[in-house]
Amino acid sequence: MVHNKDNPGCIKVKPLAALVAVAVLSMANGAGAQEQPAESAKLETVIVTANKRVEKLESVPMAISVLTDAEIARSNIREIEDVVALTPSLTMASGTTAANNAIFMRGIGTVSVGIGVESDVSVIIDDIPIATQFQAFRDLADVARIEVLKGPQSTLFGKSAVAGAINIVTRPITGPMVYRGSSMLTNDGEWRLGLSAGGMVSDTFGMRVAANRTRMPGNFHNLKTGEDVNGSGGSTFMAKLSWRPTSSLDVDLMPSYNKQDNTRGVTAVNAFYRNTGSAAAGTLVSTPADVSTAYLNGNPLLPASATLAGINPHDPGNRNVRRDFPTGLWSRTSGLGLKLSYLLPNEATLMSISSYSRYKANDSRDQDFVDVPTLARPGVPGLSVGNNQFGTYDIRSETQELRLVSPDRGTLRYVAGLWWARNEVDRHFIRGFCVAPTACAANSPSSPTNYYTDIYNVNKAVFGQATWEFLPTWTLVGGLRRNVEESGYHYKRSFYTDQLDLASFRPGPVGIDQFASTGNKDYATTGKLSIQKQVTRDLMVYLMTATGHKGRAYDVTSGLTAAASAPVAPETSRTLELGAKANLFDNRMSVAATVFNTEFKGYQQNVSFVLPNDPTIYTQLNSIPLIRTRGVEIDTHFLVRPGFTLNASLAYTRPTIEDWKNGPCWNDTTNVVAPGSKLAANGSIPGRNASCFPIIAGSTTGVQDLTGGVFPGTPKLKVNIGGNSDFKIPGMTWGGFVNGNVRYQSEYSTNINNDPRSVNSGYTIADLGFGLRARNDRYRLSFRINNLFDRFYIPNANASGPSYRAGPTATSPNITVDSWVPPRDVFRFYTVKLDVKF
């Protein structure tokens, strides 16, 4: 539900927002439009490299959404989150820190808190894939184009593209040296600085260097420290050095460095109430809870009047928190790429692409959500220790690709190659507090854990794809990939949280707290086949099918047991896609429409859950037998008149659980035990939902049949409408511009257990930009109003938070506490930006 902060009722703003944005653009265009050169009366041709060769977007038989250089600049895109917001086929699941974030494409993505599960959506930057998806949650610098490749892309991009891929292309080296500078400031304290220089220094040597620095303090306020949190910032350096020693050989060296500080993941309490009655009987009533009689976990030493001091927990938009331990992810990434391109005598190109990267990060989380001690130290009276978690990541990645690309002419064109990659990931993680002389175990207070784990995988593949124009208006595209992966892990665990390094670390017994599985081989063949018909010069239709494959997964998290120590089976996908692409009105309008149906077998998913009176987030790796996603997508651009363009994109997506008999349950305190029984009246487990039954007779562990349920994380409908108008100002050497954007998404479920309370309401957000620019674009001054109508929305209905009871005992009545993490634009903010070029 979308709310106005001054009026908490539901406000439907979709038509109003769209009409206002289009009207403003139309008035601006009509007021200042003047005759333009004839060549600007057509849409610009968009090129993509989705098939590892340069092609026109309109000619590729595949669903692709593209954000161009101009759209990236207009919308102030800085991070992957911004790309997701503007691309209807993408959504994102936010985790406890950025390391647990996940990108979903067409409703499918991998949510995991462990390092043993790879993503379903691959992210590639300049032909080099990122080792783990969460490394992509950083500043995007010097980007020229972002291609969103929908559906399985394993044939050309490998095993982590089982649901799709995001292909990021940075600015090329062309023409004489050009120097650029950019600075941006917002009214809520965000700032960005960027400098770049690029071009040909001589006939045989070119270079491009870019450096960015950003800082967004955050939209929560920590009353304990006086600082803002839930923000991010970083520094990025990228370079391209291009050398042509001969007319047939190009050598590109690409060093990069990124430092990122991300404090997102802090949650704030925004609802505080008690439930009475029964949800099953339809008599459930929720009433606000009294803070003065509430206690954290029912502990008499932790009254809510102290832990929530200065916080209004009944405020849906509460932005105040109390934390005495940091929450976030602090990372450093360095990398080097080397690309050799050799033009063969037949004009085919032989390429070698090599890369190495190292990612190191520290993550932490205040797990008791308050700024006072909540745990007792042995031998010390009272509470003296906080309940926190922290850890480290060390990720090393090496890749090597040999690629042969045919000349871009003739009726048969092809790309073929060999691929090799090695990824190594080390993780150390500590949660809770437990020290000697206590006999520490998994069920000790604060659920302590302290583990070291490492994962490795080595991939070798041969791939190829050919395009054959077998008749004048008919084209066949076919591709195959044969992939061999070896993977494995080591894991060792202790429950003593003061063993901070390997020298002091004392793991438990082998088979109970120590596990290993190495040398696991996985062989897979994936493919792609499409047929396309050029119906007219301006209309192409196609039918495409493709398969995807993702290797074995490992449940190397805090709860690893002997029963779960074996690898989880690979995940596979198969899609069928029918599409059409058209250029209309003498290339003034482009339309791409797609209908798709994709099945995922053995879907790998980490399920997170909490237990009553325990703030710990537990996880379990599942292999879901069958998931299906289907829908319709439309992308269109329209040149209304020279200088005035409109664009719209839509995604209707229906991901469903087709087969999962043993799904997780959700907590329901209104499902009470029946008199004279240990179960509820219908035989379900008390305290869990009424469809949650014992996994075996007498067990307190429950499961529910989720077959036919909704697969979470994606709205049924997501729409983005935008436009831009450039116009001359009479009597001035400067021109003006106005641009706007309206995006809408419907409600969606956020929890795979199908808890009806875990639903994000739909919302509409409109942005408006305007400014001045010099005729040669040497100077450009931009102003932007983000969230123009100041529409308040809550994007995550089930963010984790503290547990309170209406009394000072562990058996006092439970209080339902909701928490939230706000997106960047939940509150209206203003931006001013200056771009210079010379």
Side-chain angles (χ1 to χ4, degrees):
M1 185 177 294
V2 179
H3 295 275
N4 183 290
K5 288 178 288 189
D6 299 321
N7 179 6
C10 179
I11 299 176
K12 297 191 176 183
V13 300
K14 289 179 283 182
L16 174 62
L19 284 173
V20 168
V22 173
V24 169
L25 289 166
S26 300
M27 288 188 292
N29 188 70
Q34 298 185 26
E35 197 66 29
Q36 299 290 321
E39 61 268 22
S40 65
K42 296 180 184 291
L43 288 171
E44 292 185 5
T45 299
V46 177
I47 63 167
V48 295
T49 53
N51 285 324
K52 295 202 170 188
R53 62 184 306 131
V54 177
E55 298 173 292
K56 294 181 180 179
L57 174 63
E58 64 201 55
S59 303
V60 181
M62 179 170 59
I64 306 172
S65 293
V66 178
L67 291 173
T68 64
D69 189 10
E71 291 170 315
I72 292 169
R74 272 201 306 268
S75 302
N76 292 332
I77 290 176
R78 179 172 76 95
E79 301 171 305
I80 283 290
E81 290 94 326
D82 302 322
V83 178
V84 171
L86 295 176
T87 309
S89 59
L90 295 178
T91 51
M92 192 185 86
S94 298
T96 53
T97 69
N100 300 327
N101 289 351
I103 301 170
F104 283 55
M105 188 173 300
R106 289 179 168 176
I108 303 297
T110 300
V111 176
S112 175
V113 298
I115 62 172
V117 186
E118 294 187 273
S119 66
D120 280 13
V121 179
S122 181
V123 179
I124 302 105
I125 301 178
D126 287 341
D127 286 315
I128 299 171
I130 292 177
T132 56
Q133 190 190 81
F134 67 79
Q135 293 176 250
F137 290 89
R138 65 191 191 205
D139 289 348
L140 300 175
D142 210 37
V143 174
R145 186 176 71 252
I146 300 173
E147 304 170 7
V148 179
L149 317 181
K150 307 167 192 176
Q153 304 294 324
S154 295
T155 301
L156 291 181
F157 293 100
K159 61 190 179 65
S160 291
V162 68
I166 299 175
N167 188 32
I168 300 172
V169 182
T170 61
R171 287 194 175 104
I173 300 172
T174 58
M177 288 292 295
V178 175
Y179 304 88
R180 300 173 185 265
S182 178
S183 61
M184 195 196 84
L185 183 66
T186 71
N187 66 307
D188 59 358
E190 179 182 359
W191 56 265
R192 307 178 192 175
L193 293 173
L195 296 171
S196 68
M200 296 301 297
V201 178
S202 69
D203 291 340
T204 60
F205 181 76
M207 61 175 289
R208 182 163 191 86
V209 179
N212 280 33
R213 184 91 183 265
T214 65
R215 179 64 179 161
M216 195 281 168
N219 43 24
F220 276 171
H221 186 66
N222 188 352
L223 298 175
K224 175 71 172 182
T225 63
E227 298 176 346
D228 290 334
V229 292
N230 232 42
S232 65
S235 302
T236 302
F237 172 82
M238 300 177 68
K240 288 183 182 179
L241 305 176
S242 183
W243 177 43
R244 174 168 285 187
T246 73
S247 60
S248 301
L249 179 63
D250 288 298
V251 181
D252 295 319
L253 187 67
M254 300 169 288
S256 63
Y257 174 80
N258 173 265
K259 172 185 175 184
Q260 199 75 19
D261 300 332
N262 192 318
T263 62
R264 291 172 184 162
V266 177
T267 62
V269 175
N270 66 340
F272 201 74
Y273 56 95
R274 288 188 58 196
N275 289 326
T276 56
S278 169
T283 59
L284 183 66
V285 176
S286 299
T287 56
D290 186 355
V291 175
S292 65
T293 60
Y295 292 82
L296 183 70
N297 299 324
N299 191 324
L301 300 178
L302 298 170
S305 57
T307 59
L308 294 175
I311 297 172
N312 179 4
H314 302 292
D315 179 7
N318 169 47
R319 301 169 69 178
N320 290 320
V321 300
R322 285 193 171 277
R323 299 288 193 276
D324 58 359
F325 193 78
T327 292
L329 180 73
W330 296 264
S331 66
R332 307 290 182 271
T333 307
S334 56
L336 182 66
L338 175 64
K339 182 185 295 186
L340 307 177
S341 301
Y342 183 73
L343 186 65
L344 299 172
N346 67 346
E347 296 185 10
T349 303
L350 180 62
M351 304 173 67
S352 169
I353 305 170
S354 311
S355 75
Y356 174 81
S357 68
R358 180 87 180 262
Y359 173 92
K360 302 191 72 172
N362 294 279
D363 67 311
S364 62
R365 183 171 186 253
D366 190 326
Q367 190 162 276
D368 53 28
F369 309 102
V370 295
D371 62 350
V372 295
T374 57
L375 302 173
R377 181 183 292 272
V380 178
L383 305 176
S384 58
V385 182
N387 186 359
N388 306 310
Q389 67 180 43
F390 53 95
T392 61
Y393 293 92
D394 188 351
I395 303 173
R396 301 166 302 282
S397 177
E398 302 171 73
T399 68
Q400 175 63 55
E401 179 180 354
L402 295 177
R403 185 190 307 173
L404 179 64
V405 182
S406 70
D408 193 20
R409 53 179 166 75
T411 58
L412 181 64
R413 300 178 298 278
Y414 60 85
V415 58
L418 300 174
W419 171 261
W420 176 90
R422 180 178 181 91
N423 297 314
E424 298 175 331
V425 185
D426 295 344
R427 173 72 163 145
H428 181 210
F429 179 76
I430 296 177
R431 182 186 65 213
F433 179 80
C434 193
V435 298
T438 303
C440 299
N443 59 356
S444 298
S446 78
S447 304
T449 192
N450 182 356
Y451 68 81
Y452 285 89
T453 186
D454 61 77
I455 293 282
Y456 79 93
N457 59 69
V458 179
N459 281 271
K460 302 172 185 178
V462 55
F463 64 88
Q465 182 170 295
T467 301
W468 179 31
E469 296 177 8
F470 62 96
L471 288 173
T473 60
W474 289 87
T475 303
L476 191 68
V477 178
L480 282 174
R481 184 186 192 97
R482 180 63 173 173
N483 195 89
V484 180
E485 179 182 42
E486 178 187 331
S487 63
Y489 78 93
H490 300 88
Y491 179 95
K492 51 188 177 181
R493 176 178 55 207
S494 168
F495 297 104
Y496 292 87
T497 59
D498 58 347
Q499 299 174 1
L500 299 180
D501 53 34
L502 282 170
S504 60
F505 188 73
R506 299 292 181 269
V510 174
I512 298 177
D513 293 313
Q514 295 188 60
F515 306 96
S517 179
T518 60
N520 299 305
K521 292 288 186 70
D522 181 38
Y523 299 86
T525 301
T526 54
K528 178 180 180 180
L529 182 66
S530 71
I531 186 167
Q532 66 187 87
K533 165 68 174 176
Q534 198 69 38
V535 180
T536 68
R537 183 173 62 90
D538 299 322
L539 172 64
M540 179 267 282
V541 296
Y542 69 91
L543 180 66
M544 185 270 288
T545 184
T547 60
H549 181 93
K550 188 172 75 171
R552 300 170 188 264
Y554 302 92
D555 192 12
V556 287
T557 56
S558 60
L560 183 60
T561 63
S565 61
V568 174
E571 176 183 332
T572 62
S573 63
R574 180 182 298 274
T575 192
L576 183 65
E577 182 174 303
L578 176 65
K581 297 186 179 184
N583 286 320
L584 308 174
F585 310 121
D586 194 23
N587 199 27
R588 291 181 58 166
M589 183 178 185
S590 67
V591 180
T594 308
V595 179
F596 67 89
N597 181 84
T598 310
E599 292 185 349
F600 292 78
K601 293 183 178 180
Y603 174 78
Q604 300 165 354
Q605 172 78 32
N606 260 124
V607 175
S608 299
F609 58 94
V610 295
L611 300 175
N613 303 317
D614 187 351
T616 303
I617 298 178
Y618 297 94
T619 64
Q620 179 180 346
L621 182 61
N622 288 268
S623 181
I624 302 175
L626 182 61
I627 301 290
R628 181 194 306 272
T629 182
R630 50 197 151 184
V632 178
E633 297 162 336
I634 299 174
D635 285 276
T636 181
H637 289 76
F638 182 38
L639 181 65
V640 181
R641 58 191 300 175
F644 181 25
T645 58
L646 294 174
N647 62 272
S649 51
L650 173 149
Y652 176 82
T653 312
R654 295 297 305 272
T656 55
I657 301 170
E658 297 295 308
D659 181 16
W660 197 14
K661 301 295 192 299
N662 297 317
C665 304
W666 45 275
N667 293 331
D668 183 1
T669 57
T670 66
N671 188 32
V672 297
V673 64
S677 172
K678 293 183 178 180
L679 301 175
N682 68 341
S684 61
I685 294 181
R688 308 290 270 171
N689 57 300
S691 300
C692 182
F693 296 95
I695 190 168
I696 59 173
S699 174
T700 57
T701 299
V703 296
Q704 62 172 323
D705 187 355
L706 284 170
T707 301
V710 174
F711 188 80
T714 299
K716 186 182 297 184
L717 183 64
K718 191 175 177 186
V719 181
N720 185 73
I721 301 172
N724 181 75
S725 175
D726 291 306
F727 54 89
K728 294 180 179 179
I729 300 176
M732 293 185 64
T733 58
W734 288 67
F737 60 88
V738 178
N739 54 65
N741 186 79
V742 180
R743 48 193 169 89
Y744 164 77
Q745 69 177 47
S746 59
E747 69 175 23
Y748 66 96
S749 173
T750 64
N751 202 315
I752 201 168
N753 62 19
N754 278 221
D755 183 345
R757 300 164 299 184
S758 299
V759 176
N760 285 356
S761 297
Y763 59 87
T764 303
I765 299 295
D767 303 324
L768 180 65
F770 54 91
L772 299 170
R773 64 183 181 88
R775 292 280 175 86
N776 55 7
D777 260 347
R778 175 164 290 187
Y779 303 99
R780 187 180 182 97
L781 181 63
S782 309
F783 301 89
R784 191 170 182 85
I785 307 172
N786 300 270
N787 193 351
L788 177 65
F789 299 103
D790 203 17
R791 300 308 182 197
F792 173 75
Y793 64 101
I794 297 177
N796 46 340
N798 65 333
S800 58
S803 175
Y804 283 87
R805 289 189 172 271
T809 68
T811 58
S812 298
N814 183 66
I815 295 174
T816 299
V817 181
D818 292 342
S819 298
W820 74 310
V821 179
R824 176 68 182 93
D825 60 355
V826 69
F827 304 105
R828 179 168 55 205
F829 67 97
Y830 306 90
T831 298
V832 58
K833 182 182 179 185
L834 175 64
D835 295 287
V836 298
K837 180 177 68 174
F838 53 92

